[in-house]
Amino acid sequence: MANADSNPTVLVVFGATGDLMERKIGPALFHLHEKGELPQRFRVIGMARRDIGDEPFRRCVTDAVNGHRGSPADQSVLSAFVQAFSYSQGHFDDEAAYGRLVDTLNEIDDDWQVCSNKLFYLAVPPESYRTIFERLAASGLAASCGGDGGWTRILVEKPFGRDGKTAQELDELLGTLFEESQIYRIDHYLAKEMLQGILNFRFSNNLLEPSWDARAIERIEVNLLETLTAEGRGGFYDGVGALRDVGQNHLLQMLALVTMAQPASPDADAIRASRVAALRALVPMSREQAASRTFRAQYDGFREVEGVAGDSRTETFFRVVTQIDAPEWAGVPVILQGGKAMGSVRKDLVVTFKHPHPCICADERHTTNRVVFTLEPTDSITITFWTKKPGFSSELEERVFTFMLYEKEEKTQYVEEYARLLADAIAGDQTLFVSTREVRAMWEFIDPIVAAWADDVVPLETYPAGTDAILGRASAIDTVAPPAPEATRQIGLLGIGRMGAGLARNLLDHGWHVVVWNRSPAAATALEPDGAVAVASPADLVRALLPPRIVWLMVPAGSAVDEVLFAPGGLADLLAPGDTVIDGGNSRYADDPGRARRLAERGIRFVDVGVSGGPGGARAGACLMVGGERADFVRLGPLWADLSVADGFRFFDGVGAGHFVKMVHNGIEYGMMQAIAEGFTVLKASSYSLDLTAAADIYDHGSVIESRLMTWLEGAFRLHGEDLEGVSGAVAQTGEGAWTIEVARETGVRARVIEAALQFRLESQRDPDWTGKVLSALREQFGGHAVR
C-alpha cells in the first residue's frame, strides 16, 4: 500500500482493551508503521467499556507491542507511534458514547481539513455485533462522506455466525448499513504467506498446473493439528467445537485455494469467485454419509477445563472424508482433519499424485509423488520425486525438493497476517477477505455434519491428551468414501471395434483391470498383449469382475444394444443390484429411458455417454458427454477423468441427455464437414493451380476455421493425393444427422445446414463426386471408416 498523504484514515476499534487488540491489532499496526505502510495522516480510536483515558490506553498499546516482538522495539519510534492512539470510553449500547465518537471524528476531520476515511473494526464477540451495527446506523457513523470524500469500511472477525441461518442473519444486518464492497470479513489464515504462496505456486507457474486435477491427483489432505489445549478458552470452545472453530473456515479456505480453477483475472473479485466455485462444489453429506465418512473425538480432561460443561459432547478432534462435485476433481477423496491437545503440531496441505501407469520402476509399490504446503513449524513447499540411484542397478531413490518461505527469519505469530489484512482493508483490496458467498457455501457443507453429530449419529470417541493415538483410529473412515481403488478400477467392455479397443487400451494405461468380450473373439484376444483379459461370453465377463461391477457397451445402436442387455441370458439377467451399465455407443437418446427403467427394476444403474474424438481420442483421451443421474456421474469420476482429455467430460442431467448432446454434436459435424468439402471443391475448380494441401495447412494455423477437421483433411491429401484417388464419392451416414433433423422439426427449429448436409450424403449414393470424396476421406481420418 502506498504511503500517501492523500489517504487520511481513522481506524475505530470496538473492544479496544481486549485480547484481540493486545495480541494482534496493536502489534500489527506497529509493524506497518515500521515498514512505512500506514497513511501519513492516521489515527486510531479505541472504544471499550473500561474507564481509562488516552495515556493508559497508549501504555496498553506500548506493552502489547513490546510483548509480541522477537526483538526490542525502538522506543522513540514506538513512542511516536502510540501518539496516534486515543480512547473513547462507553458501553456498546450507549447512544451517548457514539455521540462522543462522532465529536472526536469531526475534530480530527476539522484538524486535517478533509473528510477522512473511516475503518470500523469489531474486535468484540459476535453477540455484540447487532448492538454496534444499530448504533452505528443511528449515529450516522456508517455513512460515507459522499462525492470525492472519504469511504467507510467495516472489519468483522470470524466466526461468521454459528450456522448457515445465523450467518445469513448477520449478512442481512450488515447489508442494511454497508455494501458488500465495504465489508471485510477476516479469516486470518487467508493472509498467511504460505496460503498466498499456494495461489502463486499454482497460477504464476505452469510447472504442475496442467496435471493439477483428477487425472493425476489421487487425494488431498488438509491438516490443522496443534498441541494446545482449550485452557483459557473453555467456555468459548465448548460452545463451538473443533469443526466450527477451524473446519468451517480455515480448512475449507485452504482447500478452496488448492482446488479452485484459474481465476479469470488477478482481481479480487475474480479470485474470490473462483474460491466460491470451489467451495460450492463440495458435496453436502446426508445423515447416512456423515455416519460413515466423519469421525469426532474429545481429549481426556477437556470436561475439567474451566468453562466446559461436565457432560460436554463437544469434539476437540475431527476427521471428514468428502469429495468435490466438479469434473476436474471427480473421484478424488478429500480429507479434512483438525484437533487440539495432539502429540505434535501438524499444519499442512498434502496433494498426493497417482502412481504412474505404466511405471518405469523396479518396484510398482514405491511411494507416490507429493506436494506438501507446510504452515508450521516452518513455512515451506516440499515436492517429493523419484530418480535412479547412481550405478549399474535400476534401483530408485526418493528425493525431496524443499523451498523454505521464511528461511532464517523470525516470525511473530499473527503480526504479519494482521498487518497484511489491515493494509489491504485500508487500500480497498478484498482478495484475502471472505465474501458472503464463501461464508454461505462453507456453512452449506458444515451444517449437515453438525446436525448429524447433534443427534449422535457419529459416536464421540476419546483420546489421551498430548498424543497422536487418535489418528490411526480416525483414518479407518478413509476407505468408506469414495470406495477403495481396488474395488473401482475394474471394468468390462463389450464391443471391441475401433473405438472399444482404443478405450480399453486407454484404461489399461491408467492402471485399470479391463475384461473384454467381442462377438468376433479375435478383436478381444488382440488386446491380451496389452494386459486385457479376454473372455468367451458376457457371462464370463460378469464372473471376472468384482461387485459392484461397471460394464461399458460399445455395440452398434439399436437392436444390438437391446440384445446384449435383455435377450435371455443377457446382462440384465447376469448383473446384480448395484452394478452399472454404461452405453458409450451412438444410441438414439429416446431409447435410453426405457432401457434405464428395465434395468432399474433389477437394481442396475444406467448411464449414457456420448463419446467423441474417434479411435484416436478413445485411445489417447476422448470427449465425454455423460447423461443419467448426477450421483452416478460423481461416483464414476475416476473413470471419466482417466478416459478423457483435460476438461473433456461434462454431466448433462437426465437419462439420454448424454446421447442427445452427442447426437446434436454429430449433426453439427455433418454441417461443418459439408462446408469444408464444398469450400475445397471451389478451390479445386478455380482457375488457379492451387496446392490444396497447403491451403488445408494454412487454414489450420491461426485462422478462424482452424480445427481438427482441417488437420485431418491435410492428412487425407497427404495420404491419398489431392485427387483423392481410390476414395469413394458416395458418403455413408449412421443416423445421428437424421435424428437431429427429426428433433429439430419436432421442436420447431430450422436446421437447414444440417438437413442439406444429410441430403447431400443421401444423394451421393446415386451421384458420387469429388465433394463426396472429401467427406469420405475426413470420415476415414477421424473415425477409421472405410473409403472404398
Side-chain angles (χ1 to χ4, degrees), residues 130-376:
R130 177 176 292 276
T131 299
I132 295 174
F133 291 155
E134 290 173 350
R135 294 294 182 266
L136 281 174
S139 65
L141 285 168
S144 62
C145 299
D148 296 328
W151 43 253
T152 60
R153 294 173 186 149
I154 190 161
L155 283 160
V156 182
E157 285 272 352
K158 79 169 187 74
F160 312 117
R162 282 185 50 81
D163 51 30
K165 181 177 181 295
T166 55
Q168 182 176 349
E169 291 171 353
L170 174 61
D171 265 351
E172 290 173 354
L173 184 60
L174 272 169
T176 63
L177 299 176
F178 300 95
E179 300 292 334
E180 178 66 17
S181 60
Q182 295 174 282
I183 303 169
Y184 290 69
R185 299 173 187 83
I186 293 177
D187 180 347
H188 72 271
Y189 258 67
L190 278 176
K192 285 185 175 292
E193 286 287 355
M194 179 48 64
L195 267 64
Q196 297 174 58
I198 293 174
L199 203 65
N200 294 115
F201 177 86
R202 291 187 59 198
F203 303 123
S204 301
N205 302 290
N206 203 28
L207 183 64
L208 292 178
E209 191 61 25
S211 301
W212 205 263
D213 55 32
R215 294 169 59 84
I217 291 174
E218 181 176 275
R219 62 190 265 155
I220 297 170
E221 302 170 63
V222 190
N223 300 287
L224 285 183
L225 304 175
E226 57 185 359
T227 56
L228 294 175
T229 67
E231 293 288 345
R233 301 178 69 215
F236 165 79
Y237 204 84
D238 193 31
V240 176
L243 183 64
R244 284 187 283 199
D245 186 43
V246 299
Q248 182 271 337
N249 36 72
H250 301 338
L251 281 129
L252 291 185
Q253 285 292 336
M254 292 167 69
L255 179 64
L257 288 171
V258 84
T259 60
M260 63 189 276
Q262 172 92 41
S265 74
D267 296 337
D269 288 346
I271 292 172
R272 298 207 302 176
S274 287
R275 294 202 308 250
V276 169
L279 291 166
R280 295 192 66 184
L282 283 169
V283 183
M285 294 184 183
S286 65
R287 285 169 60 88
E288 294 75 17
Q289 290 169 331
S292 61
R293 303 179 185 183
T294 70
F295 182 97
R296 61 177 181 147
Q298 183 186 95
Y299 71 79
D300 295 330
F302 175 69
R303 295 176 181 179
E304 281 71 57
V305 174
E306 184 180 354
V308 175
D311 59 351
S312 172
R313 302 286 295 168
T314 298
E315 82 288 348
T316 59
F317 171 89
F318 68 88
R319 187 176 178 95
V320 173
V321 180
T322 186
Q323 54 186 307
I324 299 169
D325 184 9
E328 62 270 25
W329 293 110
V332 176
V334 173
I335 297 165
L336 306 171
Q337 183 171 253
K340 283 189 169 296
M342 306 303 296
S344 56
V345 174
R346 182 180 179 188
K347 298 184 179 183
D348 61 20
L349 199 158
V350 183
V351 179
T352 303
F353 287 77
K354 295 176 180 177
H355 196 286
H357 294 282
C359 179
I360 304 176
C361 49
D363 183 358
E364 281 284 335
R365 296 169 297 177
H366 79 256
T367 307
T368 49
N369 305 115
R370 298 185 311 281
V371 177
V372 182
F373 302 94
T374 302
L375 284 73
E376 289 186 28

Side-chain angles (χ1 to χ4, degrees), residues 524-682:
T525 56
L527 289 171
E528 289 183 317
D530 296 288
V533 176
V535 295
S537 69
D540 291 336
L541 181 141
V542 172
R543 281 192 292 270
L545 297 171
L546 295 173
R549 303 169 185 87
I550 304 171
V551 177
W552 186 298
L553 306 185
M554 287 301 288
V555 298
S559 60
V561 177
D562 289 321
E563 181 180 350
V564 169
L565 289 175
F566 303 115
L571 288 176
D573 293 334
L574 297 168
L575 294 172
D579 292 346
T580 302
V581 170
I582 300 172
D583 183 359
N586 283 327
S587 288
R588 187 182 177 92
Y589 77 95
D591 295 335
D592 290 333
R595 291 167 180 160
R597 281 193 298 271
R598 293 178 68 181
L599 290 171
E601 291 171 358
R602 299 168 184 251
I604 301 168
R605 311 295 299 168
F606 178 84
V607 179
D608 56 286
V609 180
V611 184
S612 183
R619 177 67 182 87
C623 169
L624 306 178
M625 303 152 229
V626 184
E629 295 186 11
R630 179 172 288 276
D632 293 318
F633 170 74
V634 173
R635 174 172 56 87
L636 298 169
L639 177 63
W640 319 131
D642 285 346
L643 278 179
S644 68
V645 297
D647 296 323
F649 62 97
R650 288 293 184 275
F651 174 69
F652 300 93
D653 192 25
V655 174
H659 281 152
F660 185 86
V661 174
K662 177 59 163 53
M663 176 193 75
V664 176
H665 161 281
N666 285 11
I668 295 170
E669 176 189 296
Y670 274 39
M672 293 173 65
M673 289 171 60
Q674 186 70 28
I676 290 172
E678 291 177 2
F680 273 81
T681 302
V682 172

